């Protein structure tokens, strides 16, 4: 079967857009071909800085003929109904329709619509211009003389050429020469901009990829990544070092080069006095280079690794020299920030009021930065006030939370007032992603308690499902206060997440609270803390997500989670105990019996039957119902006592003793007895089953 090769070549595509764009191209093209009646065996997308490519193999050469029978109205229907049928079927008169007789329904019209198949070349010519013109780039541009005309082609960068060939695997291929804005698809492409600027004629994917590689272009992005990673590891090892790996940087760099050449540069060792995080970010952000460290050590070396797109005749000496100059200049700036942040601010006399407000020591650099943050009235949010006001709220909330977490109140207070201070440091001003981490380093330098320093960094954590949760009690307290203040504040001004939009990362904050409470086993009454039932419901949603990710069944979560449950740790423990119970043989059988009881009760209650609160022992006639009543009385008390003691496993064990009596009851007892009093008493007994199991979960919500 034939194969289709497509390439869209342009000026350099931003690295962050390439992978998604190639995937979009594959989906748009294959969806359009399938919708037009074609099928294919497989498709794979490729990308480099200057091209998106698509290899579709096993593509049918022609769409199938289509024959459709469309049933119409009866032959004696009104004229308008018949006209509508003819118009919808594309017929000009009833003579073109067939008449079919039905013994029951009479005669009716049927239109037989035949659509001949189309050649793949024709379909590609039809669909490709629209796909290219409407391509979903995050940002696009117009260029050249045609850019001023209405409807001019927009592309991420100027589109230069299109390749589109089609044909069998071992025969000659043909060009599908569709055209868009003066660019006509052909079988001509170009290799590396500098090493191989000559035109390349291609037929199908195999020789396309091979010819590009001869022209110094490695088409497969994963292979480029692999080359960069292994060459970087090798050159580091050869110099007695190891590469500090960075998947995000590797992805970006592989999108900047078509012919990766890995080189090593260096900078003066004096710059190693700068924290490693700053060095790494400086070199990564400004020069897209990797850093190295001595083998088996954490501290960085003064060697960095760069990736060039040019195989230089001098072995890369000039490239290394040029990159080194820029790296040194940026590190010089970073060293300046690092030193400045440890010194006094020039306007200390203006900070005394703010220092007094927060009990700050104006002699200490980090305290000065917090006073400056407050004195400048830096806005946190237009409706929620300044950063200084926010710190005051966090401080007050943390004081209350410390009673629950057991953290030292003096250390909590100190950590709260310094937590946001590094927002006014020059290092964080240059690299916002270092907030918290730099605060910890500056706190340690000015002699703060280790718990305070740790809390300054860790109060932002966890920032995602894979991020670590704070361990120190002071850090836990400030992390909870920070996240809860954010959530309470945005709920108060009605800025809640909607659909996929969550500009203030409130879902992440709520999930962070959930993870801290559960993973650090903290019992926090959320409703009393937040005073907002709607916010509690939001926490419930995040809890469900978290527990499902941990493997809990959604129905078991729903069976345990009530609308007013604000102790999330207890909810999680209930779910854990219920999961263990319901997967046991006793649990499965008790669930079946309980469901039968609740279904019978629900049917009666739907009829309006009032179920008695208590059971009359005098009306218990059969051994099975007497045994069940005794078992429920005992199990209910044991389960309630266990729940009160928060021993949910023991509560489940108590309920498991009901399994046998419930089974025997349904085997031996007819609930709908002829005697109304006995019948009512047995329904009351079923109610006791529902109430007993309800002490730990709503069994009616459990599937199975």
């Amino acid at each position: 079967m034939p194969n289709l090769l497509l390439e869209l070549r342009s000026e350099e595509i931003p690295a962050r857009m390439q992978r998604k764009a190639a995937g979009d191209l594959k989906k748009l093209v294959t969806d359009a071909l399938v919708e037009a009646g074609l099928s294919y065996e497989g498709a794979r997308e490729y990308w480099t800085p200057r091209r998106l490519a698509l290899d579709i193999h096993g593509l049918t050469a022609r769409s199938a003929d289509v024959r459709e029978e469309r049933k119409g109205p009866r032959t004696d229907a009104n004229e308008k109904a018949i006209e509508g049928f003819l118009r919808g079927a594309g017929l000009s008169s009833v003579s073109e329709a067939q008449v079919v007789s039905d013994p029951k329904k009479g005669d009716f019209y049927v239109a037989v619509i035949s659509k001949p198949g189309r050649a793949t070349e024709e379909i590609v010519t039809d669909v490709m211009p629209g796909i290219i013109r409407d391509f979903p780039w995050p940002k696009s541009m117009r260029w050249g003389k045609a850019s001023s005309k209405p409807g001019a082609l927009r592309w991420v960068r100027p589109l230069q050429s299109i390749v589109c060939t089609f044909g069998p695997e071992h025969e000659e291929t043909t060009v599908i020469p569709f055209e868009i804005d003066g660019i006509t698809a052909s079988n001509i492409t170009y290799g590396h901009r500098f090493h191989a600027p000559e035109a390349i004629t291609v037929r199908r994917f195999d020789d396309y990829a091979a010819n590009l590689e001869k022209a110094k272009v490695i088409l497969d992005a994963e292979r480029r990544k692999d080359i960069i990673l292994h060459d970087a590891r090798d050159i580091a090892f050869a110099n007695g070092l190891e590469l500090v790996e960075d998947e995000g940087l590797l992805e970006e760099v592989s999108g900047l080069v078509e012919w990766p050449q890995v080189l090593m540069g260096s900078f003066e060792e004096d710059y190693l006095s700068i924290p490693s995080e700053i060095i790494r970010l400086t070199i990564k952000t400004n020069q897209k280079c990797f850093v190295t460290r001595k083998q088996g050590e954490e501290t960085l070396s003064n060697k960095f690794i760069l990736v060039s797109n040019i195989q230089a005749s001098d072995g890369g000496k000039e490239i290394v020299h040029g990159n080194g100059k820029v790296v040194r200049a940026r590190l010089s700036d970073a060293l300046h920030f690092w030193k400045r942040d440890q010194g006094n601010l020039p306007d200390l006399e203006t900070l005394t009021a703010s220092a007094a407000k927060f009990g700050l020591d104006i002699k200490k650099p980090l305290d000065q930065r917090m006073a400056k943050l407050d004195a400048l009235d830096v806005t946190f949010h237009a409706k929620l006030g300044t950063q200084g006001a926010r710190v005051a709220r966090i401080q007050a909330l943390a004081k209350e939370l410390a009673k629950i977490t057991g953290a030292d109140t003096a250390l909590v207070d100190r950590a709260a007032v310094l937590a946001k201070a590094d927002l006014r440091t020059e290092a964080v001003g240059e690299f916002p992603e270092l907030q918290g981490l730099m605060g910890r380093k500056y706190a340690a330098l000015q002699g703060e308690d280790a718990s305070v320093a740790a809390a300054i960094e860790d109060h932002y954590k966890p920032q995602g499902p894979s991020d670590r949760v704070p361990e120190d009690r002071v850090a836990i307290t400030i992390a909870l206060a920070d996240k809860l203040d954010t959530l309470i504040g945005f709920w108060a001004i009605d800025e809640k997440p909607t659909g996929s939009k969550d500009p203030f990362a409130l879902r992440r904050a709520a999930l962070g609270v959930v993870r801290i409470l559960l993973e650090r086993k903290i019992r926090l009454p959320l409703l009393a803390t937040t005073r907002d039932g709607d916010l509690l419901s939001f926490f419930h949603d995040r809890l469900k997500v978290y527990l499902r990710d941990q493997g809990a069944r959604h129905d078991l979560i729903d069976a345990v989670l009530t609308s007013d449950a604000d102790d999330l740790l207890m909810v999680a423990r209930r779910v854990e105990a219920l999961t263990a119970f319901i997967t046991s043989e006793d649990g499965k059988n008790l669930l079946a019996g309980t469901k039968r009881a609740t279904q019978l009760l629900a049917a009666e209650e739907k009829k309006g039957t009032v179920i008695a609160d208590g059971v009359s022992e005098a009306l218990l006639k059969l051994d099975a119902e007497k045994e069940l009543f005794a078992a429920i009385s005992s199990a209910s008390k044991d389960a309630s006592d266990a729940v009160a003691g928060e021993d949910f496993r023991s509560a489940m064990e108590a309920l498991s003793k009901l399994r046998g009596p419930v089974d025997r009851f349904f085997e031996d007892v007819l609930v709908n007895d002829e005697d109304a009093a006995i019948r009512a008493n047995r329904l009351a007994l079923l109610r006791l089953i529902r109430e007993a199991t309800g002490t730990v979960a709503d069994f009616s919500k459990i599937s199975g």
Side-chain angles (χ1 to χ4, degrees):
M1 293 175 73
N3 302 328
L4 178 71
L5 168 64
L6 178 71
E7 180 201 67
L8 305 174
R9 188 179 64 88
S10 67
E11 293 293 331
E12 276 73 6
I13 306 167
R16 67 184 182 280
M17 298 182 188
Q18 292 167 20
R19 183 182 290 273
K20 183 180 184 303
D24 288 342
L25 180 64
K26 173 183 172 181
K27 186 176 190 311
L28 289 168
V29 173
T30 55
D31 283 358
L33 297 179
V34 169
E35 188 176 342
L38 300 174
S39 63
Y40 64 96
E41 292 176 0
R44 184 176 173 188
E45 71 274 29
Y46 298 86
W47 63 93
T48 80
R50 298 177 61 220
R51 67 200 80 222
L52 303 177
L54 184 59
D55 171 32
I56 303 178
H57 53 273
L59 183 63
T60 46
R62 186 179 183 84
S63 63
D65 296 339
V66 176
R67 186 180 186 277
E68 175 190 352
E69 289 190 0
R70 188 174 298 179
K71 186 177 179 181
R74 286 167 51 103
T75 54
D76 57 359
N78 64 62
E79 191 174 333
K80 284 189 176 180
I82 294 173
E83 286 177 359
F85 161 66
L86 295 175
R87 189 165 50 250
L91 304 182
S92 57
S93 72
V94 292
S95 64
E96 296 178 3
Q98 295 180 6
V99 176
V100 176
S101 296
D102 185 305
K104 294 181 180 179
K105 298 181 180 179
D107 295 344
F108 57 89
Y109 291 115
V110 171
V112 178
I113 303 169
S114 296
K115 294 180 181 178
R118 294 195 296 160
T120 298
E121 293 93 324
E122 181 186 340
I123 293 171
V124 171
T125 299
D126 278 355
V127 303
M128 281 309 306
I131 290 173
I132 294 172
R133 191 174 292 281
D134 299 327
F135 200 80
W137 292 110
K139 291 183 179 180
S140 57
M141 61 182 290
R142 293 179 294 183
W143 63 93
K145 294 180 180 179
S147 63
S148 60
K149 297 179 182 178
L153 175 64
R154 300 184 68 92
W155 199 247
V156 63
R157 294 291 185 270
L159 188 62
Q160 295 177 327
S161 68
I162 301 171
V163 167
C164 190
T165 66
F166 180 67
E169 191 170 350
H170 300 295
E171 298 176 22
E172 277 305 311
T173 58
T174 59
V175 172
I176 304 178
F178 64 85
E179 184 268 341
I180 180 166
D181 274 31
I183 303 173
T184 302
S186 69
N187 60 352
I188 302 296
T189 189
Y190 295 83
H192 193 285
R193 184 189 296 277
F194 304 112
H195 290 308
E198 301 82 12
I200 301 170
T201 302
V202 298
R203 292 174 296 170
R204 56 182 59 85
F205 178 77
D206 288 346
D207 71 284
Y208 164 73
N211 284 333
L212 279 181
E213 186 142 350
K214 290 176 187 175
K216 301 290 192 288
V217 174
I218 295 173
L219 184 64
D220 187 343
E222 295 304 321
R223 192 166 150 238
R224 292 198 304 276
K225 285 175 66 174
D226 193 60
I227 289 169
I228 293 167
L229 180 60
H230 284 86
D231 285 0
R233 285 173 177 168
D234 289 347
I235 196 171
F237 182 79
N239 285 270
L241 305 168
E242 64 182 22
L243 176 72
V244 178
E245 297 185 15
D246 185 326
E247 177 60 31
L249 180 58
L250 180 61
E251 174 79 9
E252 183 177 13
V253 170
S254 72
L256 297 174
V257 296
E258 292 191 316
W259 190 248
Q261 303 296 305
V262 178
L263 305 166
M264 176 174 277
S266 65
F267 54 85
E268 288 73 17
E269 291 192 355
D270 291 348
Y271 290 123
L272 294 177
S273 63
I274 306 169
S276 296
E277 296 84 358
I278 296 182
I279 295 174
R280 185 175 179 179
L281 266 178
T282 298
I283 292 176
K284 172 182 176 177
T285 305
N286 292 290
Q287 285 304 102
K288 314 301 180 193
C289 295
F290 298 86
V291 293
T292 64
R293 60 190 167 211
K294 293 181 180 178
Q295 292 178 4
E297 296 185 14
E298 287 298 317
T299 54
L300 299 184
S301 79
N302 67 325
K303 307 287 186 183
F304 64 90
I305 289 175
L306 63 102
V307 182
S308 169
N309 193 35
I310 298 173
Q311 189 171 339
S313 58
D314 65 353
K317 290 181 182 178
E318 281 300 312
I319 295 172
V320 169
H321 176 70
N323 275 267
K325 285 177 64 176
V326 178
V327 165
R328 291 184 195 95
R330 297 289 77 80
L331 288 176
S332 178
D333 292 342
L335 182 60
H336 176 71
F337 299 149
W338 172 241
K339 289 180 177 178
R340 281 278 296 269
D341 286 339
Q342 297 173 56
N344 290 329
L345 292 172
D347 53 352
L348 292 182
E349 68 281 356
T350 67
L351 306 179
T352 52
S354 292
K357 185 193 305 184
F358 290 100
L360 297 165
D361 184 350
I362 207 70
K363 299 186 186 70
K364 295 182 176 181
L366 199 57
D367 291 58
Q368 295 173 20
R369 271 69 187 176
M370 177 55 218
K372 187 72 171 179
L373 185 70
D374 178 66
L376 288 174
D377 286 336
V378 175
T379 300
F380 167 61
H381 184 279
K383 294 181 181 178
L384 293 174
T386 65
Q387 287 282 9
R390 181 168 186 242
V391 168
R393 293 196 304 270
I394 292 172
Q395 184 182 17
L397 183 53
K399 182 179 180 181
E400 296 303 313
L401 292 173
K403 299 172 185 176
I404 295 170
T405 62
D408 184 291
T409 53
L411 295 179
V412 164
D413 191 71
R414 181 65 174 159
V417 297
L418 292 180
K420 306 297 180 183
D422 68 354
L423 296 178
R424 290 305 306 169
T425 62
E426 295 195 35
V428 172
E430 181 72 10
F431 300 113
E433 54 267 62
L434 291 181
Q435 60 186 284
L437 188 146
M438 295 312 302
R440 179 176 192 163
K441 291 184 179 296
Y442 293 135
L445 285 172
Q446 68 178 38
E448 298 296 333
D449 186 281
S451 289
V452 171
I456 293 172
E457 177 181 4
D458 288 355
H459 83 280
Y460 289 106
K461 298 183 178 300
Q463 295 201 39
S466 59
D467 195 15
R468 66 178 176 85
V469 171
E471 296 181 17
D472 183 277
R473 289 181 183 273
V474 176
I476 288 169
T477 307
I478 304 301
L480 286 172
D482 178 62
K483 292 167 179 59
L484 287 170
D485 174 74
T486 297
L487 291 159
I488 292 168
F490 281 105
W491 245 250
I493 62 173
D494 200 26
E495 289 279 3
K496 306 168 188 175
T498 55
S500 62
K501 294 180 180 178
D502 187 10
F504 304 110
L506 301 181
R507 291 189 181 96
R508 186 175 71 187
L511 183 59
V513 171
V514 169
R515 286 191 60 200
I516 292 171
L517 297 181
L518 269 56
E519 294 178 30
R520 295 295 172 248
K521 296 180 171 48
I522 296 169
R523 301 188 54 190
L524 175 64
L526 281 171
L527 191 55
T529 304
T530 63
R531 298 181 177 85
D532 191 315
D534 185 58
L535 181 52
L536 179 61
S537 176
F538 186 69
F539 277 115
H540 285 176
D541 290 341
R542 296 304 97 199
L543 176 66
K544 289 177 183 179
V545 171
Y546 176 80
L547 292 177
R548 284 199 295 264
D549 287 345
Q550 299 298 307
R553 281 169 38 184
H554 69 88
D555 59 324
L556 301 188
I557 300 170
D558 289 340
V560 165
L561 188 59
T562 58
S563 61
D564 60 348
D566 72 343
D567 186 340
L568 303 190
L569 181 59
M570 288 301 100
V571 173
R573 286 179 176 173
R574 281 175 179 261
V575 172
E576 182 183 7
L578 183 59
T579 300
F581 176 63
I582 216 68
T583 53
S584 70
E585 199 61 33
D586 282 345
K588 290 175 185 174
N589 288 325
L590 180 59
L591 173 62
T594 302
K595 276 187 169 292
R596 187 171 175 184
T598 54
Q599 286 165 0
L600 281 168
L601 286 170
E604 289 296 324
E605 288 167 340
K606 192 173 182 180
K607 295 177 194 173
T609 305
V610 177
I611 312 298
D613 288 337
V615 171
S616 170
E617 290 189 65
L619 292 173
L620 298 175
K621 302 299 182 183
L622 301 177
D623 290 343
E625 57 184 332
K626 293 176 183 177
E627 181 188 356
L628 177 59
F629 179 66
I632 291 175
S633 300
S634 173
S636 292
K637 182 181 184 306
D638 292 345
S640 295
D641 290 346
V643 168
E646 297 171 1
D647 185 353
F648 301 113
R649 287 191 178 275
S650 293
M652 299 296 175
E653 288 173 10
L655 290 180
S656 70
K657 295 173 184 175
L658 290 176
R659 173 208 167 170
V662 168
D663 287 348
R664 281 187 288 278
F665 177 84
F666 282 115
E667 287 171 7
D668 299 350
V669 178
L670 177 65
V671 174
N672 290 323
D673 194 89
E674 292 179 358
D675 186 319
I678 292 176
R679 178 175 175 274
N681 202 51
R682 287 172 179 172
L683 287 173
L685 196 53
L686 297 185
R687 178 173 180 160
L688 290 185
I689 297 174
R690 183 170 67 182
E691 289 175 351
T693 54
T695 58
V696 293
D698 184 348
F699 274 49
S700 67
K701 293 182 178 178
I702 303 175
S703 61

